[in-house]
Amino acid sequence: MRKLIPAAAAVAVAALALTACSGGGGTSEPAATGEIKGEITLQTWSLTPKFQPYLDKVIKGFEAKYPGTKVKLLDQPGDGYSDKIVSQASTDSLPDVVNIPPDYGVALAKSGALLDISSVQKDLDKTYVAGALDAFKYRGLDGVYGLPWYLNTDISYWNATQMTAAGLDPKKLPTTVDEQIAQAKIMHDASGGKNFLMSSKPAVGDFARAGVPILNEDGTKTAFSTDAAVQLLQKYVDAYKAGYYPSSVLNDDYLGNSQLFTKGQVAFSTGGGPAYKDFVRDNPSLAKSIVMGPALNDQPPLYVQGLAIAKKSKNQATALAFANWILNPENQLEFANLTNTFPSTTASASDPSLSKSDGTPAGDAKVLAFNSLQKAKVLSPIEFNDAMNKILNQQVSLAMKGDVPAKKALDDAASQIDKLLANQ
């Protein structure tokens, strides 16, 4: 399973029993005309063998409800998936129902390979969480080119023991980047520079979270090299220069904020709701130290995986019916609980297994993350690909090292990324 994204997004478990022949329900039947019969292929992304039993059960239930249908499951490995679906689309061999993240779908939608689902199903806004559905609405195109499947987001994790030792109050956690930097200074000064409350350099999502536009309205040029972005980057530059970061944060051997947090080398990390269990499993001494809070600046990121329908599917009505089947609230809830993610349907919002904690810290973390989904947004534009992220990260590192001024770093990143955007 691809991490939701990063994290995927990865990318959260009380199973809702669902028998092989149980009715799904919850979402409406597809508006597409045509008889629901025939064979289709569902292509998933790195979900088997771990989730094969679940997928087999969902498929069996669909085939029982719609006699005369047959669903073939095709799972693709994690690496090279983007290239795989582009190749399939270019050879008219895109499977009928395709597991796809929003950024992988934009090129396919623009090339006409995906069905505009809103053209045949009119109740999407009532069925799915708004931010998740919006992820499949692409600039320059009318319509919706995928249905959100499973979701995740990040919350903030803090080490209360280290904060208390520095004279900070874990009940008054930072809620903004400015507050985090201010408390990072206090921790740095109190520990003689040995403890850290900052653990990663700013990325594209951090600029978006601060209200900086990343691209222009039509997504053809960068828009992030603004005075506001320079001022934000300068705050991180100054914090790094002042010693509020571990020096490894700009090195090639940087482990990432979650690993440093697990090792007790930093007192802050981001992570999804299930991250609490991972932290404590890998370092049991953290069990009495971790406290959780919302994402900084009250803007959590949204990580989305979805299902798209091939426009050239020979059994489009069956493909759409199956997508609705696998996405119905019951099937989604079972999958979410299996995968430590969250369902995308509005009908799931009041489910007590998601919205009420069992009183444990892990339960509290899960509910905090679930509630955060209501305001979560996809922070990185779908046009902003891995190569562009790499360019921005390189320039941010140069600025934080003091090799170039913050403005020049952002101007240089914008210039290089504009060239890539021109070729999209």
Side-chain angles (χ1 to χ4, degrees), residues 311-387:
K311 194 170 184 178
K312 292 185 178 180
S313 168
K314 295 179 180 177
N315 292 308
Q316 198 175 89
T318 305
L320 188 56
F322 180 74
N324 277 279
W325 174 264
I326 199 171
L327 296 176
N328 75 48
E330 291 85 355
N331 281 336
Q332 279 216 58
L333 183 61
E334 183 178 11
F335 188 65
N337 285 329
L338 284 172
T339 57
N340 288 329
T341 58
F342 296 108
S344 63
T345 59
T346 55
S348 303
S350 59
D351 189 278
S353 72
L354 301 170
S355 60
K356 293 184 179 179
S357 174
D358 59 6
T360 65
D364 293 345
K366 181 179 180 178
V367 170
L368 178 58
F370 179 69
N371 291 334
S372 296
L373 282 178
Q374 309 310 314
K375 60 178 66 174
K377 294 181 179 178
V378 178
L379 297 178
S380 179
I382 55 174
E383 296 89 349
F384 210 86
N385 60 31
D386 290 345

